[in-house]
């Protein structure tokens, strides 16, 4: 018996060490990728080793950690689905025994724990540390800035806990709820993260439909559109004439002192726009036939198919919710991964679910930066401040943490949520889940209809040559009149 007990303890020890090593390697890869992404967009600073440089470096490391956790949250559900299908396909294979329920469940718990840590501790610390200067009258330095940061974090924690305490007391005023108000670890943190997840779900509900329609525009800018009833040579010739006219006006206006202000700036801006249009037209002219006539339609069909399948799966999930209560998202503590397939059509269905998850995540990020409210957070290569990077990391963390919840709520996958993800209070409310599905289906459909009707109208006007009649007003020319959209002078 003692030998058996020692053997079991050794097996448990080795399995735990193996899980820790796997988790560390996965996170190390995500951290390196996140660091490369952030340094690509971070504004370049001088090499002087001063106090601000140390603060920026610490904030950079914290942002990199947060972005790595966001990547883990994005890959969490697809990794779990892939592991389940692999274990079903090769149940007795010795080389994949490390893929077990304990590892998957541990990953879910770690991602949930790190998400809370980044959202409530690391990112507020990075922001306050970046903006801190030390209290008035104290000696300046890193220690003074750290002290001010911790004081601000303490006050912020009191404010958030007070708001949660008042909100929970107003919502649930029974005796059991009143007793749980004094339980910080078992009540406050799960309830607070449940509220954050609900906000993330609502943010995804607002961003994803916009991103699904915006994806067509983004891919249209990256790819070369086919030339239908268009004469590119004539358009390039007209663009050249407009560019020369603007260049002459810009050179002529430089001799007048009263036109060197905003009007010259406007001319330079319009000249840059004209040159960008010329570059795009020349790229379209030089593109090969298969790129113009084959690649673009295929990509557009893939995007349309992905969006249509997503809407159909959500509509089917609405029917499931109305007739079967087991379709409600719920948390699971079962670690027996690999017993049954959670996809209706096996491996092909699981692959489709994973593709749709990544497609929805990319669309949500595109839609997030397309909204006017969050346009200021759009990162720019080598010209993004640390404050903007912190805002981007927090936003992506909220979106990625809500992605598993949204995928399960919309019926994209049937994989039950593991770890603390299944403790969200609002997941058990039938009316919230049903309304979420209906809003997603309706808003996505409306965005697509509006997108395609406007795109078809623009293409018809362009093919008939009527788009040239739509001229936009430009600032007044102080010399003799107004400047039209194509750079020619309009006589008063």
């Amino acid at each position: 018996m003692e030998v058996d007990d020692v053997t079991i303890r050794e097996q448990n020890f080795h399995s735990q060490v193996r899980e820790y090593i796997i988790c560390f390697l996965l996170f190390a890869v995500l951290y390196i990728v996140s660091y490369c992404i952030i340094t690509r967009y971070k504004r370049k600073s001088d090499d002087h080793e001063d106090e601000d440089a140390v603060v920026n470096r610490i904030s950079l490391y914290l942002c990199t950690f947060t972005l790595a956790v966001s990547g883990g949250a994005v890959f969490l559900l697809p990794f779990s689905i892939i592991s389940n299908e692999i274990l079903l396909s090769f149940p007795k294979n010795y080389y994949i025994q490390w893929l077990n329920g304990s590892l998957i469940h541990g990953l879910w718990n770690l991602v949930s724990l790190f998400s809370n840590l980044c959202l409530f501790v690391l990112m507020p610390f990075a922001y306050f540390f970046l903006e801190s200067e030390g209290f008035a009258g104290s000696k300046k330095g890193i220690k003074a800035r750290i002290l001010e940061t911790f004081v601000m974090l303490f006050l912020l924690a009191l404010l958030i806990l007070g708001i949660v305490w008042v909100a929970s007391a107003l919502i649930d005023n029974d005796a059991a709820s009143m007793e749980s108000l004094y339980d910080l670890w078992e009540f406050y943190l799960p309830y607070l993260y449940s509220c954050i997840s609900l906000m993330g779900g609502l943010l995804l509900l607002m961003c994803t439909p916009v991103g699904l329609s915006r994806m067509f525009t983004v891919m249209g800018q990256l790819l070369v559109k086919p030339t239908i009833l268009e004469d590119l040579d004539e358009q390039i010739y007209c663009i050249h004439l407009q560019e020369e006219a603007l260049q002459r006006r810009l050179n002529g206006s430089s001799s007048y002192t009263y036109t060197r202000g905003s009007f010259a700036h406007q001319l330079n801006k319009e000249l840059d726009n004209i040159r960008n249009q010329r570059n795009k037209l020349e790229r379209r002219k030089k593109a090969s036939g298969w790129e113009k006539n084959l690649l673009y339609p295929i990509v557009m069909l893939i995007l349309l198919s992905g969006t249509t399948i997503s809407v159909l799966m959500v509509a089917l999930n609405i029917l499931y919710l109305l007739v079967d209560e087991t379709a409600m998202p719920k948390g699971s503590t079962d670690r027996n991964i690999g017993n049954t397939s959670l996809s209706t059509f096996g491996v092909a269905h699981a692959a489709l679910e994973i593709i749709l998850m990544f497609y929805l995540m990319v669309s949500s990020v595109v839609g997030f930066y397309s909204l006017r409210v969050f346009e200021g957070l759009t990162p720019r290569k080598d010209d993004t401040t640390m404050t903007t990077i912190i805002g981007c990391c927090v936003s992506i963390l909220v979106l990625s943490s809500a992605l598993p919840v949204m995928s399960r709520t919309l019926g994209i996958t049937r994989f039950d949520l593991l770890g603390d993800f299944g403790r969200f209070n609002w997941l058990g409310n039938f009316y919230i889940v049903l309304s979420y599905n209906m809003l997603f289906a309706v808003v996505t459909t409306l965005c697509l209809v509006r997108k395609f009707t406007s795109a078809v109208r623009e293409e018809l006007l362009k093919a008939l040559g009527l788009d040239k009649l739509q001229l936009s007003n430009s600032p007044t020319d102080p010399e003799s009149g107004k400047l039209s959209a194509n750079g020619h002078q309009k006589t008063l």
Side-chain angles (χ1 to χ4, degrees):
M1 294 295 294
E2 294 180 357
V3 176
D4 294 338
D5 292 338
V6 172
T7 304
I8 293 175
R9 287 200 301 270
E10 289 180 350
Q11 291 178 354
N12 293 333
F13 173 77
H14 290 305
S15 63
Q16 290 180 0
V17 172
R18 182 176 64 245
E19 291 176 8
Y20 293 153
I21 293 175
I22 293 172
C23 293
F24 175 78
L25 292 177
L26 292 176
F27 185 78
V29 173
L30 291 174
Y31 189 91
I32 293 173
V33 174
S34 302
Y35 182 81
C36 295
I37 293 175
I38 291 180
T39 53
R40 177 180 176 83
Y41 290 97
K42 179 180 176 295
R43 177 178 294 176
K44 304 302 180 183
S45 58
D46 51 14
D47 298 332
H48 295 290
E49 188 68 19
D50 55 359
E51 180 181 327
D52 292 334
V54 175
V55 172
N56 284 332
R57 190 180 302 113
I58 295 175
S59 301
L60 174 64
Y61 294 154
L62 295 179
C63 291
T64 305
F65 184 86
T66 303
L67 190 60
V69 174
S70 303
V74 171
F75 288 98
L76 185 62
L77 192 54
F79 181 78
S80 303
I81 296 174
I82 292 175
S83 302
N84 186 61
E85 296 299 326
I86 290 176
L87 291 174
L88 284 175
S89 303
F90 308 98
K92 302 298 183 180
N93 195 321
Y94 173 77
Y95 296 100
I96 61 171
Q97 292 305 311
W98 58 275
L99 279 176
N100 49 39
S102 177
L103 174 64
I104 304 301
H105 199 275
L107 287 174
W108 281 75
N109 285 330
L110 285 177
V111 170
S112 176
L113 175 63
F114 288 155
S115 299
N116 284 286
L117 180 65
C118 294
L119 196 60
F120 299 121
V121 179
L122 297 185
M123 285 294 94
F125 177 85
Y127 178 75
F128 290 135
F129 191 42
L130 196 66
E131 299 294 331
S132 64
E133 297 180 355
F135 291 109
S138 62
K139 185 178 180 180
K140 302 299 181 182
I142 297 294
K143 293 183 179 180
R145 299 181 72 163
I146 292 177
L147 178 61
E148 180 184 354
T149 302
F150 276 113
V151 171
M152 294 298 297
L153 283 177
F154 178 74
L155 295 177
L156 179 64
L158 289 180
L159 177 63
I160 293 177
L161 291 177
I163 293 175
V164 174
W165 195 90
V166 172
S168 58
L170 292 176
I171 295 174
D172 298 326
N173 55 3
D174 55 333
S177 299
M178 288 297 180
E179 293 179 0
S180 64
L181 291 176
Y182 303 97
D183 191 348
L184 178 64
W185 186 260
E186 294 294 331
F187 174 77
Y188 268 114
L189 294 182
Y191 184 81
L192 185 58
Y193 194 62
S194 177
C195 296
I196 297 298
S197 70
L198 180 59
M199 293 174 58
L202 294 177
L203 186 60
L204 280 175
L205 181 62
M206 181 173 56
C207 297
T208 307
V210 177
L212 289 174
S213 61
R214 179 68 177 168
M215 284 290 291
F216 294 92
T217 303
V218 173
M219 296 307 298
Q221 295 173 353
L222 297 176
L223 300 176
V224 178
K225 296 182 180 180
T227 56
I228 301 176
L229 299 177
E230 288 186 272
D231 190 353
L232 294 181
D233 293 330
E234 181 182 356
Q235 295 184 22
I236 293 175
Y237 178 72
C238 294
I239 288 291
H240 274 295
L241 293 179
Q242 296 174 13
E243 183 179 356
E244 292 176 358
L246 279 175
Q247 188 65 51
R248 286 195 302 268
R249 292 184 62 80
L250 185 61
N251 295 333
S253 64
S254 61
S255 59
Y256 297 93
T257 57
Y258 62 88
T259 59
R260 291 181 181 178
S262 60
F263 179 67
H265 176 72
Q266 181 67 25
L267 286 177
N268 284 317
K269 185 176 180 181
E270 293 187 3
L271 184 60
D272 292 336
N273 293 332
I274 292 293
R275 288 172 178 173
N276 291 331
Q277 294 178 14
R278 176 172 56 82
N279 293 332
K280 291 179 181 179
L281 290 174
E282 291 178 350
R283 179 171 176 263
R284 292 180 62 185
K285 183 179 179 180
K286 296 178 181 179
S288 59
W290 72 270
E291 185 179 0
K292 292 187 294 185
N293 301 322
L294 186 62
L295 182 61
Y296 182 84
I298 289 177
V299 172
M300 291 296 115
L301 286 177
I302 291 175
L303 294 179
L304 181 60
S305 301
T307 307
T308 304
I309 293 174
S310 301
V311 174
L312 291 178
M313 292 183 69
V314 173
L316 189 62
N317 187 56
I318 293 175
L319 296 179
Y320 283 150
L321 289 173
L322 294 176
V323 300
D324 188 5
E325 62 180 7
T326 59
M328 288 286 295
K330 63 179 184 299
S332 176
T333 57
D334 186 11
R335 302 190 180 188
N336 296 324
I337 304 295
N339 291 339
T340 57
S341 178
L342 300 174
S343 303
T344 307
F345 301 103
V347 179
H349 193 189
L352 178 62
E353 292 176 354
I354 294 172
I355 293 174
L356 290 179
M357 289 177 201
F358 285 119
Y359 180 49
L360 291 178
M361 184 60 197
V362 174
S363 301
S364 64
V365 174
V366 173
F368 176 81
Y369 289 113
S370 299
L371 297 176
R372 293 184 178 180
V373 182
F374 306 108
E375 283 183 351
L377 294 177
T378 304
R380 295 177 298 273
K381 183 180 177 181
D382 297 333
D383 191 28
T384 307
T385 61
M386 281 304 305
T387 305
T388 305
I389 290 177
I390 292 174
C392 292
C393 290
V394 172
S395 304
I396 294 176
L397 177 62
V398 172
L399 293 175
S400 59
S401 299
L403 180 65
V405 182
M406 186 191 74
S407 301
R408 182 64 182 92
T409 304
L410 295 178
I412 302 298
T413 180
R414 295 294 175 183
F415 193 94
D416 290 330
L417 303 174
L418 300 177
D420 293 335
F421 283 85
R423 300 176 62 181
F424 300 151
N425 299 329
W426 60 275
L427 290 177
N429 193 311
F430 172 78
Y431 297 102
I432 293 179
V433 174
L434 181 63
S435 301
Y436 192 91
N437 282 262
M438 295 182 66
L439 282 174
F440 181 87
V442 172
V443 174
T444 303
T445 304
L446 291 178
C447 289
L448 285 179
V449 170
R450 179 183 177 184
K451 175 66 180 179
F452 280 102
T453 53
S454 61
V456 170
R457 183 174 63 253
E458 291 176 0
E459 292 298 329
L460 287 176
L461 291 176
K462 186 181 295 184
L464 297 175
L466 299 179
D467 58 324
K468 299 179 181 179
L469 299 178
Q470 299 177 354
L471 300 177
S472 60
N473 293 328
S474 298
T476 304
D477 185 353
E479 292 181 2
S480 58
K482 294 184 178 180
L483 189 68
S484 64
N486 58 6
H488 295 291
Q489 184 179 351
K490 298 170 68 176
T491 305
L492 289 176

